[in-house]
Amino acid sequence: MDQCGYYPFKLYFNPNATELMIEVKNIHKSFAGVEVLKGITTTFDKGKTNLIIGQSGSGKTVLIKCLLGLFDYEEGCISYDGKIFSQLSEDEKRNLRADIGMVFQGGALFDSMTIAENVMFPLKMFTKQSKSEMEDRVDFVLKRVNLIDAHHKMPSEASGGMQKRVAIARAIVNNPKYLFCDEPNSGLDPKTAIIIDNLIREITDEYDITTVVNSHDMNSVMEIGEKIVFLKDGFKAWEGSKDTIFKTDNKVVTDFVYSSELMKKVRQMYIEEKQ
Amino acid sequence: MIAEMFRKPTKWSVMKQLIFKDIDDLIIDSLGIVAFISFFVGGVVTIQTALNIDNPLIPKYLVGFATRQSVILEFAPTFISIIMAGKVGSFITSSIGTMRVTEQIDALEVMGINSLNYLVFPKFIALLLYPFVISIAMFLGILGGMAACVYGGFSSLDDYIIGIQTDFTPFHITYAFIKTLAFAFVLATIPSYHGYYMKGGALEVGKASTTSFVWTSVVIILLNYILTQMLLS
């Protein structure tokens, strides 16, 4: 058996993986001798918005970058639908990545391209569509993220919320099977943050994709946390859903969830209601 | 890095557009400064040579000869390359470095695009046109020398033209272009390396640009010495 628990003759395929899902087993990752991820094991399910939450420095972004293959890890394994990522050839990895959409924390829009060109970029690189077909698709996804007259704007001319929506449009333009979002509503006002959260949830349902969102925003947890993985100092401290996170007695989770005055009041009301 | 850079591009039609964009950014946009510097430095070389020839036995046409040799052998290929290390090199480092800082390179990688090939290969191809820039620098350097020589009253136009035709060795042009191509490779790769592998934020982009300029200049000077030793001695 290998470190993923698979037998050698089934190295590239896990017979138990019946649905599109991402499996993480015992991931360890260090930077300059400091261990940032200390044996994370979890799964991210198909058709769900899976949230990775935790305080700043808990290892959320490192985990998401390990999932995407942007960071190498020392131990453990990550598999996409039973295919172990580290055992794929470079070409196979590139093919898999063509099925992945990613929304980076800062948007990561190409600043030499207009908004429409940014969204069209994956189509240009990976499809043989004609220019008019690509333009139609770009119009469709920009409309889907509620951006109608922004085609010719440069990313620097767009607001933070608009940039995030363009990043989402670029991530979904090629119909990905997996969508990753690294703190999609950081730096946004609460109203725009909710719009972005709803958009992510709707897109996940609409396209039936596996979505992994990295966040420390409790509003996101309440809005879209169908499955939640809580990280603390590089460990997985808790796993559940938005329904169970408010009922758990796990002190590490409750310290995080009820750290704000608003959430403390919500909890008080919940307890009073229960009594 | 070099091996990844020369891998097959994800899409040739996109690569073609990137190459034309980089030709515009790196070659065409550099012509103005190269022309300006070449013309005036050519003039200065001529004036200094003329002022240092005070022996009446030395023929006047040697001013043109010395200018031609200085411009073709050293000034155009090496001096202009050091200037290009500052202009083009820091542009490459800062643009790639900014893409690194703002996670645009990560975005390319996540999409399944070979980012080294996408970012560096078009710059390398664009800089294969660098000998064209150096040819212009050679021409304008000699022209600037002629203008300074004639209008400064150091020698006649005929003397200068005789000088630039005296003992002309075609291999010197070949030598200059061999150096130029080697420097083009250095100009494409060292600044790209410093931009691509930089870590940190905006401040580090500035630091990386400076480091890249220093290293590009050092490598150009060392290569200049090695190639001169190999090709001319």
Side-chain angles (χ1 to χ4, degrees), chain A residues 61 65 68 70 90-91 93-95 97-98 100-102 104-113 118 121-129 170 182, chain B residues 4 7-15 17-18 21 95 98-100 102-119 199:
Chain A
T61 301
K65 289 198 171 177
L68 292 164
L70 293 173
E90 278 305 310
D91 286 340
K93 277 182 188 168
R94 290 204 171 109
N95 289 338
R97 281 171 168 165
I100 291 175
M102 171 75 189
F104 283 88
Q105 196 171 351
L109 301 177
F110 303 120
D111 32 42
S112 58
M113 299 179 193
N118 261 287
F121 185 76
L123 297 175
K124 259 187 177 177
M125 293 304 283
F126 296 106
T127 69
K128 288 177 180 168
Q129 291 178 14
R170 186 178 67 181
D182 187 11
Chain B
E4 281 295 310
R7 268 174 172 261
K8 191 177 160 237
T10 310
K11 208 162 191 183
W12 273 110
S13 57
V14 176
M15 183 54 73
Q17 288 171 14
L18 289 171
K21 189 182 174 298
S95 58
T98 305
M99 287 185 77
R100 169 63 74 198
T102 55
E103 295 182 308
Q104 291 175 50
I105 293 179
D106 287 346
L108 286 171
E109 285 291 324
V110 169
M111 283 178 205
I113 295 162
N114 176 350
S115 57
L116 271 169
N117 172 265
Y118 181 87
L119 295 170
K199 286 189 174 94

Side-chain angles (χ1 to χ4, degrees), chain B residues 4-203:
Chain B
E4 281 295 310
M5 179 180 128
F6 285 110
R7 268 174 172 261
K8 191 177 160 237
T10 310
K11 208 162 191 183
W12 273 110
S13 57
V14 176
M15 183 54 73
K16 211 165 65 182
Q17 288 171 14
L18 289 171
I19 290 170
F20 282 119
K21 189 182 174 298
D22 279 335
I23 288 173
D24 191 36
D25 287 342
L26 307 180
I27 301 292
I28 308 294
D29 278 2
S30 303
L31 289 179
I33 185 78
V34 167
F36 178 78
I37 291 171
S38 303
F39 188 84
F40 285 100
V41 173
V44 170
V45 169
T46 301
I47 293 168
Q48 288 187 352
T49 309
L51 291 176
N52 281 291
I53 299 175
D54 47 9
N55 188 332
L57 293 174
I58 298 175
K60 287 283 182 196
Y61 69 79
L62 271 186
V63 175
F65 173 79
T67 305
R68 185 201 72 201
Q69 290 298 85
S70 309
V71 167
I72 289 178
L73 292 176
E74 270 317 301
F75 166 72
T78 312
F79 189 77
I80 290 293
S81 294
I82 299 290
I83 288 162
M84 291 288 270
K87 190 200 174 282
V88 167
S90 56
F91 169 75
I92 293 174
T93 306
S94 56
S95 58
I96 296 180
T98 305
M99 287 185 77
R100 169 63 74 198
V101 171
T102 55
E103 295 182 308
Q104 291 175 50
I105 293 179
D106 287 346
L108 286 171
E109 285 291 324
V110 169
M111 283 178 205
I113 295 162
N114 176 350
S115 57
L116 271 169
N117 172 265
Y118 181 87
L119 295 170
V120 187
F121 183 70
K123 290 176 176 51
F124 171 73
I125 297 295
L127 280 167
L128 288 179
L129 292 179
Y130 186 48
F132 165 70
V133 176
I134 297 304
S135 308
I136 290 173
M138 286 175 181
F139 173 76
L140 287 173
I142 293 170
L143 190 75
M146 187 178 79
C149 188
V150 174
Y151 294 109
F154 298 107
S155 77
S156 66
L157 178 63
D158 289 346
D159 278 343
Y160 188 84
I161 288 173
I162 289 169
I164 60 175
Q165 291 173 333
T166 302
D167 281 341
F168 177 67
T169 313
F171 181 70
H172 285 173
I173 300 282
T174 312
Y175 155 78
F177 284 134
I178 291 171
K179 284 207 300 190
T180 302
L181 281 172
F183 296 160
F185 184 76
V186 171
L187 283 170
T189 50
I190 293 181
S192 298
Y193 173 85
H194 283 279
Y196 191 86
Y197 291 105
M198 67 146 293
K199 286 189 174 94
L203 184 66

Side-chain angles (χ1 to χ4, degrees), chain A residues 130-188:
Chain A
S130 67
K131 199 166 180 244
S132 62
E133 283 172 324
M134 285 194 275
E135 281 169 353
D136 288 347
R137 178 71 185 152
V138 169
D139 285 345
F140 176 78
V141 287
L142 281 176
K143 253 181 218 162
R144 184 66 196 79
V145 297
N146 304 320
L147 283 174
I148 294 157
D149 294 323
H151 290 58
H152 302 294
K153 280 189 176 170
M154 298 304 284
S156 56
E157 295 167 341
S159 66
M162 272 171 86
Q163 287 189 15
K164 289 280 163 68
R165 279 185 281 168
V166 177
I168 293 172
R170 186 178 67 181
I172 62 167
V173 73
N174 219 1
N175 290 322
K177 289 180 187 166
Y178 313 95
L179 178 65
F180 291 86
C181 308
D182 187 11
E183 308 216 4
N185 44 24
S186 69
L188 301 179

Side-chain angles (χ1 to χ4, degrees), chain A residues 4 6 33 51 87 94 99 104 107-108 116 118 120 125 127 204:
Chain A
C4 298
Y6 303 151
L51 249 67
Q87 290 175 353
R94 290 204 171 109
D99 284 333
F104 283 88
N118 261 287
M120 198 185 279
M125 293 304 283
T127 69
T204 304

Side-chain angles (χ1 to χ4, degrees), chain A residues 1-38:
Chain A
M1 246 194 309
D2 69 345
Q3 56 189 347
C4 298
Y6 303 151
Y7 290 98
F9 57 89
K10 282 172 184 169
L11 274 178
Y12 292 94
F13 183 70
N14 173 9
N16 300 322
T18 51
E19 284 195 315
L20 288 168
M21 70 166 190
I22 303 161
E23 215 174 342
V24 177
K25 280 193 178 175
N26 195 30
I27 290 293
H28 288 262
K29 169 72 186 164
S30 306
F31 290 101
V34 179
E35 204 172 14
V36 179
L37 296 181
K38 300 165 183 169

Side-chain angles (χ1 to χ4, degrees), chain A residues 52-256:
Chain A
I52 305 170
I53 63 166
Q55 285 177 313
S56 298
S58 58
K60 304 186 297 292
T61 301
V62 175
L63 176 59
I64 220 165
K65 289 198 171 177
C66 286
L67 288 171
L68 292 164
L70 293 173
F71 286 159
D72 292 328
Y73 38 88
E74 290 92 44
E75 216 182 308
C77 85
I78 289 167
S79 62
Y80 284 78
D81 309 325
K83 290 175 189 163
I84 299 165
F85 190 79
S86 59
Q87 290 175 353
L88 299 176
S89 67
E90 278 305 310
D91 286 340
E92 285 171 323
K93 277 182 188 168
R94 290 204 171 109
N95 289 338
L96 174 67
R97 281 171 168 165
D99 284 333
I100 291 175
M102 171 75 189
V103 180
F104 283 88
Q105 196 171 351
L109 301 177
F110 303 120
D111 32 42
S112 58
M113 299 179 193
T114 63
I115 282 174
E117 285 167 347
N118 261 287
V119 178
M120 198 185 279
F121 185 76
L123 297 175
K124 259 187 177 177
M125 293 304 283
F126 296 106
T127 69
K128 288 177 180 168
Q129 291 178 14
S130 67
K131 199 166 180 244
S132 62
E133 283 172 324
M134 285 194 275
E135 281 169 353
D136 288 347
R137 178 71 185 152
V138 169
D139 285 345
F140 176 78
V141 287
L142 281 176
K143 253 181 218 162
R144 184 66 196 79
V145 297
N146 304 320
L147 283 174
I148 294 157
D149 294 323
H151 290 58
H152 302 294
K153 280 189 176 170
M154 298 304 284
S156 56
E157 295 167 341
S159 66
M162 272 171 86
Q163 287 189 15
K164 289 280 163 68
R165 279 185 281 168
V166 177
I168 293 172
R170 186 178 67 181
I172 62 167
V173 73
N174 219 1
N175 290 322
K177 289 180 187 166
Y178 313 95
L179 178 65
F180 291 86
C181 308
D182 187 11
E183 308 216 4
N185 44 24
S186 69
L188 301 179
D189 62 89
K191 207 173 168 186
T192 313
I194 289 168
I195 292 171
I196 298 289
D197 281 342
N198 287 336
L199 189 60
I200 291 169
R201 189 185 51 200
E202 285 163 19
I203 284 165
T204 304
D205 294 343
E206 225 171 280
Y207 295 92
D208 200 23
I209 51 183
T210 309
T211 300
V212 180
V213 181
N214 182 349
S215 181
H216 50 61
D217 180 12
M218 281 315 294
N219 286 327
S220 296
V221 171
M222 289 191 286
E223 289 283 339
I224 58 172
E226 287 179 278
K227 176 168 184 175
I228 300 166
V229 177
F230 182 86
L231 299 190
K232 168 84 177 162
D233 300 331
F235 290 104
K236 185 182 83 177
W238 182 84
E239 196 172 302
S241 69
K242 65 180 174 184
D243 301 320
T244 54
I245 196 164
F246 296 104
K247 294 171 190 166
T248 181
D249 295 326
N250 187 319
K251 192 172 178 322
V252 176
V253 181
T254 51
D255 282 352
F256 175 79

